[in-house]
Amino acid sequence: MLKPWLPIPVDSDFSIHNLPFGIFSDERPARAGLAVGNWVLDLAAAYALNMFPHHPEAGSAFRKPVLNELIGLGRGFSEYVRKIIRDALCDRDSVLRQFSDHLLVPQDKVQMHMPIKVGNYTDFYSSEEHAFSVGQLFRPENPLFPNWKHLPVAYHGRASSVVVSGTPVTRPCGQIGQKSGIPAFKPTHALDYELELAFVIGKDSTLGQPVPVAEAEDYIFGLLLFNDWSARDIQRWEYQPLGPFTSKNFASGVSPWVVTWEALQRFRVPAPDQQPAPLPYLADGAHQNFDLSLSVSIRPGSGEEFVVGQTNARNIYWTAAQQIAHHTVTGCNLQTGDLLATGTISGSDISQKGCLLEATRNGTEPLKMGGGEERRFLEDHDEVIMRGFGQRGRIRVGFGELRGKVLPALH
Ligand code: CA
């Protein structure tokens, strides 16, 4: 068991086994840091104290206001950095301990920033429980489309509006279908969250060359919590035949700390058996997911937070490797910093739903939140809070929080 000299709360997401990367600022400009316990470790300052002597290129990467350059140095580099810091946190004679006042900044004293510049964001639809129960609402006789068990369904999302935790979301206006057939233009009355994970792509693939499913995991740097904000009434009117557009392009939230691929390996579990067997290009021998507990809460403008959904990532039908293999099978290339999100992650029980569309059966059965509050969809000033972590014995690795508050519409 590793014994750090720095006090780290036992229930901290940011244990010594995690050490995720993020971008923070204090009185100095935004730069790279690692989260540990209730602290941010200033990587640029650690570099200046010669803590990474074998990687002179690290200095430039650590001073950038996004992690793309650092990620581009490869998983070998990020593992080197995490090992140096992990060892220093367990060595009472380390430079890190000697200069801890200079190198460690309390997390409540910093501002977190968007950790990566996202070139492309793709949103999948990979949870069978979600796809089935949403399908059941609208097509009870045929909930899953015929393609669903043969390919990981997705749409290309909007990268420019991916925002970091804490960024408020203004209730969007748009076209909403009416019984008359003439749409109304007004604020959405069906604003929703979607509880997802996003995979951060860690290296470029080559245009024209599919990534084989067996190599796909090599392209993942780490994971984030992801909230795919959705306006259901706008979505219902606009989505046919090409899928969601303005109902989802106004904002998508991410948690500020990128949890590395390596830190999550101890939480791997077999993914669900797939029947029918997928085509050979999607047949991943390892076929693994992550055992990660996920939750979503709503905190009304003046009230207590209430957990509205608790689920787990272990049962996602299409794995990250299959998503990447399918995404690139045409020769479409991945780029460092791209995000591939899983789609809403739900379990079968009503308490395990990752969005209100499912939890309230499209707004028909309000969700009781305690304190007399209930929700069909989100109201102004509601704050949505997502959390996620893996736990093995006393070892915990988590994402921290992804928060976003709903502001009233501009119109
Ligand atoms: Ca989604």
Side-chain angles (χ1 to χ4, degrees), residues 100-345:
S100 58
D101 288 351
H102 175 60
L103 295 175
L104 294 169
V105 189
Q107 281 177 21
D108 58 10
K109 294 278 196 306
V110 305
Q111 184 186 349
M112 296 306 298
H113 298 266
M114 185 63 202
I116 37 184
K117 174 147 181 57
V118 180
N120 292 276
Y121 143 52
T122 306
D123 196 25
F124 285 84
Y125 192 51
S126 288
S127 158
E128 184 175 3
E129 287 79 5
H130 171 68
F132 185 87
S133 64
V134 169
Q136 224 173 14
L137 289 171
F138 302 107
R139 298 175 306 279
E141 71 295 341
N142 184 24
L144 290 182
F145 281 114
N147 60 5
W148 200 89
K149 291 217 164 178
H150 294 280
L151 56 82
V153 169
Y155 66 96
H156 282 123
R158 183 71 191 169
S160 67
S161 53
V162 180
V163 293
V164 74
S165 175
T167 309
V169 172
T170 300
R171 179 179 297 275
C173 297
Q175 283 201 24
I176 296 171
Q178 306 291 310
K179 288 206 177 82
S180 66
I182 308 297
F185 178 80
K186 56 184 180 181
T188 175
H189 281 279
L191 185 62
D192 202 355
Y193 52 79
E194 291 192 335
L195 173 60
E196 309 192 13
L197 289 172
F199 299 95
V200 179
I201 295 300
K203 63 175 180 177
D204 297 357
S205 73
T206 306
L207 180 64
Q209 292 185 12
V211 173
V213 69
E215 297 170 22
E217 292 186 350
D218 298 344
Y219 286 80
I220 302 172
F221 177 78
L223 275 69
L224 295 164
L225 293 173
F226 194 85
N227 180 357
D228 178 24
W229 296 93
S230 301
R232 302 300 184 191
D233 40 9
I234 298 173
Q235 185 178 357
R236 202 169 302 127
W237 169 245
E238 75 174 4
Y239 88 102
Q240 289 175 317
L242 291 184
F245 181 29
T246 65
S247 56
K248 285 169 180 278
N249 73 1
F250 55 95
S252 310
V254 296
S255 50
W257 295 105
V258 186
V259 178
T260 64
W261 185 251
E262 286 74 14
L264 291 167
Q265 290 309 300
R266 69 177 81 234
F267 307 107
R268 302 215 76 180
V269 286
D273 187 39
Q274 293 181 316
Q275 294 296 337
L279 289 171
Y281 80 95
L282 289 171
D284 60 339
H287 196 54
Q288 288 186 318
N289 280 335
F290 294 96
D291 176 12
L292 296 172
S293 301
L294 305 171
S295 73
V296 54
S297 302
I298 297 174
R299 191 174 67 80
S302 57
E304 293 292 309
E305 174 185 333
F306 190 83
V307 177
V308 290
Q310 278 182 302
T311 184
N312 192 293
R314 65 184 304 149
N315 292 324
I316 296 174
Y317 190 85
W318 294 104
T319 66
Q322 290 176 316
Q323 291 175 354
I324 287 173
H326 185 64
H327 200 305
T328 62
V329 72
T330 55
C332 171
N333 54 322
L334 300 172
Q335 293 180 319
T336 302
D338 285 356
L339 290 183
L340 270 57
T342 55
T344 310
I345 301 170

Side-chain angles (χ1 to χ4, degrees), residues 29-52:
R31 58 201 186 277
L34 280 183
V36 55
N38 296 324
W39 307 85
V40 178
L41 188 145
D42 184 337
L43 286 170
Y47 176 84
L49 287 169
N50 203 28
M51 284 185 68
F52 310 104

